[in-house]
Amino acid sequence: MPATAPVASELTSEPASALASAPVSVLVVGSGPTGLTLACDLARRSVDVRIIDRSEEFPRSSRAKGPNPRSLEVLEDLGVVDRVLAEGSAPLPMRKYRDGLPIADADPSAGVHPTPDAPYAHGRLIAQWQLEEILRDRLAEYGVHVELGTEAVGLSQGPGSVTVALADGRSIGARYVVGCDGGHSPVRKMLGLPFEGRTAEEQVMVCGDVEVEGLDRSLWHQWFDEDGAVMLCPIPGTRAGWWFQAGPERDGAGAPVPPSPESFRRLFAKHTRLPADRLTRAALLSTYRVNERMVDRYRVGRVLLAGDAAHVHPIAGGLGMNTGIQDAFNLGWKLARVATGRASSALLDTYEEERLPVAAWTLDISSERLRATLEAIERPGGGLDTAITEQTTGLDRGYRWSSLSPTGTVASGLRAGDRAPDAPCRATATGEPVRLFEAFAGPHFTLLGFGPDTADALRAVEAAYGDTVRAYGVGAGAPRDLTDDAGHARTAYGVGPGTGALVLVRPDNHVGLIAPARGSGAVGDYLDRLAGTAGAA
């Protein structure tokens, strides 16, 4: 999409002299998981970033139930996954009830184990406020803090920056602005971008955080009856806290009754057949309607969108927050390279090129999973486990179609654009264990050289691009050489014994290029084109 695309009246053109002095490089609007992931990724790349939120205080809502396996990989790269794992819990077995009686158990994670190329076999249950707190703490380590009570009400684009007008009369100047401000995104509305799709008014659910006494907290309880449902999942790190989801009560005209503690107790008693006073507290109440909507572009000049601001879809499969986190991880390294003068602004067009098809796929798969789940719960024993498939792990999403994924040498199934696999190795010099994900972690590109024929190419690329690329040999006899004792790295990257290949891994841990063993020139050409154009093909 060209940077000169027309915009709505809220986004007006303004002379450079009217802009705020010394604009920040990037202003992130919205401090949910998407905005915080982006801000952390930019800050660790030494990009001057501010993050604002119109809320007066940080939310305590549990909301999304946690990161999927691919998001855990992102959080590992950001350096926070250990805390997420410690404060969250593994996915729980699901107990399904009919007419108050347990009739079936299901454990979607049973028999699913980590593999050498995928260290996280399943997602992690953690309240959204806890995940946000972890990311805020990480962001604070870079000296950046969320600015609460700061509401964006207008955007004005100038030749080299954007002015964001605030509700209190102040303004913030920024070279780039990213709207991570949710499904009702004011930034999206200021841009005048349509949010095409549908709202299924008949598909309504009431939600909240409740406290319940006397239920087994090792299970996710699901009561599905012919006339409604109640679902209770324990919130990790709490003594009696639960996620509450239910079909709403209806009034005489058939309209949904707004959520309230009294309504929640009635629904609880009706479907669980337990005393209503077991539900002792209900807070952060909301009504959820199924929405299937997305924008048709992610960028208008110097303003971009990420997460729910760009796409919303059914909660089946738990892909909403995760898609936003992965939007941010795709955008972060590109925006950082542009903001620091290492690439032209055309690189930002590849964000939309890569993530817009993923958003469309996410809408399709979550809608399909919702349909399958609604059909399943009509039968005794059906439950939310129907929504969980291999596709909802996020591990199979790649960008083979992207202009950043040139065709060329293909290593036994792995192609440019694919997620770069993990593998356990050891440092040849010290014998210390080193996972490939540990080598990837950070703001750099990673060049893997398989086989001794790659040693010269590794040295040449690092000598020429040492501020951008970190090179590792896998049995190459080069600096930072890794030993692949069990052959997991070669297997994951499709490089057979006795053969050589170079694999360039992007900062978002997707394969950028696969080249012959002596292909340092191809790697250099890729990096040079990346700096100057939108595509490397």
Side-chain angles (χ1 to χ4, degrees), residues 38-49 139 142-144:
L38 179 60
C40 285
D41 202 17
L42 292 169
R44 69 172 177 164
R45 300 174 192 278
S46 301
V47 174
D48 183 23
V49 59
L139 186 59
Y142 300 107
V144 182

Side-chain angles (χ1 to χ4, degrees), residues 25-26 42 45 47 160 175-176 299 301-302 304 330-351 445 530-534:
S25 291
V26 180
L42 292 169
R45 300 174 192 278
V47 174
R175 292 179 59 202
Y176 291 94
R299 179 187 175 199
R302 292 178 174 271
L304 303 100
N330 181 285
L331 176 60
W333 70 274
K334 298 172 180 178
L335 189 52
R337 290 183 69 82
V338 173
T340 56
R342 296 188 175 194
S344 78
S345 63
L347 180 61
L348 297 178
D349 290 332
T350 69
Y351 167 58
F445 286 79
L530 194 69
T533 68

Side-chain angles (χ1 to χ4, degrees), residues 200-206 246-259 263 267 287-289:
E201 296 291 347
E202 73 284 357
Q203 294 177 332
V204 183
M205 184 167 61
V206 290
E249 294 184 302
R250 302 276 178 170
D251 62 19
V257 172
S263 176
L267 288 165
T287 298
Y288 169 82
R289 285 179 171 82

Side-chain angles (χ1 to χ4, degrees), residues 96-98 103-104 222-224 373 375-386:
K96 281 77 71 72
Y97 302 78
R98 197 77 161 193
I103 58 173
Q222 301 168 14
W223 291 268
F224 292 109
T373 301
E375 291 175 2
I377 64 177
E378 292 178 356
R379 303 183 298 273
L384 300 186
D385 50 303
T386 305

Side-chain angles (χ1 to χ4, degrees), residues 55-350:
S55 300
E56 295 295 334
E57 57 186 23
F58 295 122
R60 299 288 291 184
S61 172
S62 298
R63 299 176 67 187
K65 291 185 174 63
N68 65 12
R70 179 55 180 160
S71 290
L72 288 173
E73 295 179 356
V74 172
L75 296 170
E76 178 179 348
D77 199 281
L78 294 178
V80 299
V81 75
D82 288 344
R83 187 172 165 191
V84 172
L85 296 176
E87 296 188 19
S89 73
L92 299 175
M94 301 177 182
R95 176 158 294 171
K96 281 77 71 72
Y97 302 78
R98 197 77 161 193
D99 299 324
L101 299 175
I103 58 173
D105 287 352
D107 186 354
S109 63
V112 180
H113 303 288
T115 59
D117 66 320
Y120 305 106
H122 40 70
R124 198 75 175 168
L125 289 176
I126 186 170
Q128 183 168 320
W129 71 264
Q130 290 175 295
L131 178 60
E132 290 173 356
E133 186 175 78
I134 291 169
L135 288 168
R136 285 197 304 270
D137 289 348
R138 183 61 167 161
L139 186 59
E141 294 176 14
Y142 300 107
V144 182
H145 302 272
V146 176
E147 301 171 41
L148 290 173
T150 308
E151 182 180 0
V153 295
L155 298 171
S156 302
Q157 291 211 45
S161 57
V162 184
T163 295
V164 176
L166 304 179
D168 61 6
R170 296 179 298 138
S171 64
I172 299 174
R175 292 179 59 202
Y176 291 94
V177 173
V178 186
C180 305
D181 48 346
H184 298 288
S185 171
V187 171
R188 184 188 67 241
K189 293 173 183 176
M190 292 176 211
L191 293 174
L193 291 179
F195 207 34
E196 299 293 346
R198 72 180 189 99
T199 298
E201 296 291 347
E202 73 284 357
Q203 294 177 332
V204 183
M205 184 167 61
V206 290
C207 312
D209 289 2
V210 304
E211 291 189 358
V212 176
E213 301 290 347
L215 281 180
D216 185 349
R217 292 183 62 83
S218 68
L219 296 167
W220 184 345
H221 302 271
Q222 301 168 14
W223 291 268
F224 292 109
D225 297 321
E226 292 184 1
D227 59 349
V230 164
M231 294 153 278
L232 284 165
C233 181
I235 301 172
T238 64
R239 184 190 65 81
W242 298 77
W243 280 287
F244 180 99
Q245 298 168 289
E249 294 184 302
R250 302 276 178 170
D251 62 19
V257 172
S260 67
E262 296 74 24
S263 176
F264 277 20
R265 291 188 185 97
R266 290 192 296 267
L267 288 165
F268 174 81
K270 173 183 177 181
H271 293 289
T272 69
R273 311 305 203 266
L274 297 171
D277 60 8
R278 292 272 193 94
L279 196 156
T280 57
R281 179 178 176 272
L284 304 168
L285 311 182
S286 63
T287 298
Y288 169 82
R289 285 179 171 82
V290 172
N291 280 283
E292 301 173 4
R293 297 182 181 276
M294 61 183 291
V295 294
D296 62 358
R297 49 182 168 157
Y298 275 31
R299 179 187 175 199
V300 176
R302 292 178 174 271
V303 185
L304 303 100
L305 299 175
D308 286 354
H311 45 75
V312 293
H313 37 76
I315 59 176
L319 292 170
M321 179 189 73
N322 289 288
T323 305
I325 287 173
Q326 291 151 36
D327 279 351
F329 202 51
N330 181 285
L331 176 60
W333 70 274
K334 298 172 180 178
L335 189 52
R337 290 183 69 82
V338 173
T340 56
R342 296 188 175 194
S344 78
S345 63
L347 180 61
L348 297 178
D349 290 332
T350 69

